[in-house]
Amino acid sequence: MKYNIALLRGDGIGPEIVDSAVRVLKAAGEKFGHEFCFTPYLIGGAAIDETGFPLPQETVDGCLASDSVLLGAVGGPRWDNLPGDRRPEKALLGIRSALGLFTNLRPARLYPALKDACPLREEVAAQGFDIMIVRELTGGIYFGDRGYRQGKFGLEAYDTECYSPMEIERIARVAFETARKRRGKVASIDKANVLETSRLWRKTVHQVAEGYPDVEIRDVLVDNAAMQLVKDPSQFDVIVTSNMFGDILSDEASQITGSIGMLPSASLNETTRGMYEPIHGSAPDIAGKGIANPIATILSAAMMLRYSFSLAEEADSIENAVDRALNEGLRTGDIAPKGAPTLSTAEMTDEIIRRL
Ligand code: NAD
């Protein structure tokens, strides 16, 4: 089979890690007899430098014409002083919106080989955890009405959180379907004791739950969820939550896995054309040094094979190769114990390819 993949390398370490994932995809393609064709498009700071805009129309059109999209990361200090709507990060919201990517899947798993990197107490880390965070991605406060107005204390800024039952219903369905293929438990996170949108969220999630009697559902307030994630993460299977709560909780979940350089993500819509990216940013502090951990992006490519192309065996092969490399003690700098030998981005990529 032939698959067309749009590459959005972006800024900082983006180009380095995307190129690693491309090498792994090409190797997997050779092994399993698929042809992966890659077309690069500009996004973020790189697009601003070349065109003046963080998300050129050509990039949107290219992504819409592709079978799937692989993104590195955008942003960096060089573009930090631009106005909000001209910043590289604006391109992320734009491309998610243009592709209708309302679901963000973020697995947060503690690899047995990396238990020592987990910042939690030893007995908590020993239990391990494997959580799938299902975050709503195109609604809520990040997309609501915003601006400045005169308030009680003079000029004030405001942002608005809005959710419709349809938006909540479709993300809840993704969560219940996902739980069915895992351990059958959904924790719905909200702030229903304060927010009206959260009360609608809770009511709608429970209506959807009626269609999934085999899945256990429970509600957790977001402040409690933040605590429970560090107290006993093993209690969670699937977490479903709104755009902003998901943004924050998934970063917390990533931190307790030991390294942000390990975690992939998939952003999906009703079609099979998803967008796949590591959850970390462009890491300007290590950009160009060839030391970034490519695993999050390589695992994102594996998610692409699984969710967009239904190539489960091929995805397993990549994930197993990563497991094997880690189990054999291979480490990039971010996941290596102090003083231990480390591999460069290219070397880690070679080792993973060798184990496919
Ligand atoms: P970051 O994730 O880029 O970096 C945080 C820390 O983690 C840094 O010390 C970095 O060196 C390290 N790190 C991240 N990825 C790594 C990897 N693969 N291997 C080894 N170490 C890694 O977050 P930040 O520093 O807050 O943000 C930097 C820039 O990235 C900002 O401009 C921010 O807006 C942008 N950003 C982009 C995205 C995205 O494109 N999706 C997400 C978050 C942040």
Side-chain angles (χ1 to χ4, degrees), residues 212-234:
Y212 296 86
D214 50 322
V215 176
E216 181 192 311
I217 169 77
R218 75 176 164 128
D219 305 300
V220 187
L221 292 173
V222 64
D223 36 356
N224 186 23
M227 282 196 308
Q228 296 301 327
L229 265 175
V230 287
K231 197 171 156 215
D232 175 18
S234 69

Side-chain angles (χ1 to χ4, degrees), residues 13 73-76 89 92 260-261 277 279-286 292-293 334:
I13 61 170
V74 299
E89 293 81 356
L92 294 177
I260 200 165
E277 57 181 307
I279 74 153
H280 59 72
S282 59
D285 52 334
I286 57 166
N293 186 347
D334 56 315

Side-chain angles (χ1 to χ4, degrees), residues 95-97 99-103 137-138 267-269 273-275:
I95 192 72
R96 285 171 190 164
S97 189
L99 298 178
L101 303 169
F102 65 87
T103 297
L137 204 59
T138 49
S267 301
L268 309 172
N269 51 25
R273 187 193 308 104
M275 187 167 84

Side-chain angles (χ1 to χ4, degrees), residues 249-285:
L249 291 178
S250 57
D251 267 21
E252 185 186 359
S254 74
Q255 204 47 49
I256 58 174
T257 65
S259 170
I260 200 165
M262 294 288 303
L263 298 185
S265 80
S267 301
L268 309 172
N269 51 25
E270 282 101 350
T271 77
T272 56
R273 187 193 308 104
M275 187 167 84
Y276 299 82
E277 57 181 307
I279 74 153
H280 59 72
S282 59
D285 52 334

